[in-house]
Amino acid sequence: MPGLHAQLVHLPAIAAHGLAQALLHDPEVLILDEPTDGLDPNQKHEVRTLIKEMAPHKAIIISTHILEEVEAVCTRAIILGRGRVLFAGTPAELEARSRYYNAVALVLNHGAAGNAKKRLLTLSNVEDIEELPVRDGLVRLLVLPKNSRS
């Protein structure tokens, strides 16, 4: 694979060694467990780029609990729980099922938050508002839309 060596040398030695071993025989199926765990942002980008470059040529199965990872490199996602398939679909379909899909976060001073919350709840497309203290008298309002999940 062109450029593979150059990409691997920038990873921590243990990660580069493990990934190099996995790729040595050019398998048709590659199974990666938490492939970017412990890497800095630049290294994560390099590994994700490498995965994307290999994807057209082999089946790549990634085990991860990081949804950002799924969105960055996967075309399909399966969530398992207690041995059962809880979800199977695209990363976009998974995201759309989230309670927080299309939510809007506002940070306001505590005095303005109450009034803003009352007004926002009168809007027909607002289902709920979660309120969390931030710091120094500021409040975070998370405005959850109706019908945000598919």
Side-chain angles (χ1 to χ4, degrees):
M1 290 188 154
L4 176 62
H5 176 46
Q7 289 176 336
L8 289 178
V9 295
H10 297 293
L11 301 178
I14 190 94
H17 179 73
L19 193 52
Q21 278 187 324
L23 296 173
L24 187 62
H25 300 288
D26 194 25
E28 291 181 22
V29 178
L30 185 61
I31 300 173
L32 302 172
D33 182 25
E34 302 287 352
T36 63
D37 189 40
L39 302 180
D40 70 34
N42 290 332
Q43 294 164 334
K44 285 182 183 186
H45 176 75
E46 289 178 19
V47 169
R48 290 173 179 167
T49 299
L50 179 60
I51 291 169
K52 288 178 195 174
E53 288 174 0
M54 292 186 300
H57 311 290
K58 59 181 79 257
I60 301 174
I61 299 170
I62 296 174
S63 169
T64 185
H65 66 281
I66 303 170
L67 292 180
E68 175 190 350
E69 192 85 6
V70 173
E71 183 181 32
V73 298
C74 298
T75 56
R76 301 286 298 161
I78 298 174
I79 296 180
L80 303 174
R82 298 183 183 207
R84 296 178 188 254
V85 175
L86 302 177
F87 172 83
T90 67
E93 291 168 339
L94 176 60
E95 181 182 36
R97 290 180 58 140
S98 170
R99 170 177 166 84
Y100 301 103
Y101 183 67
N102 286 332
V104 175
L106 304 170
V107 177
L108 305 167
N109 68 44
H110 190 273
N115 189 36
K117 188 174 179 178
K118 283 180 192 174
R119 288 183 177 210
L120 288 167
L121 285 170
T122 65
L123 299 175
S124 62
N125 57 347
V126 173
E127 181 174 318
D128 194 15
I129 299 176
E130 294 180 3
E131 185 174 333
L132 299 165
V134 179
R135 67 183 186 320
D136 301 327
L138 296 176
V139 175
R140 178 177 178 247
L141 298 181
L142 186 60
V143 184
L144 303 170
K146 287 185 180 172
N147 303 317
S148 64
R149 288 168 270 175
S150 56

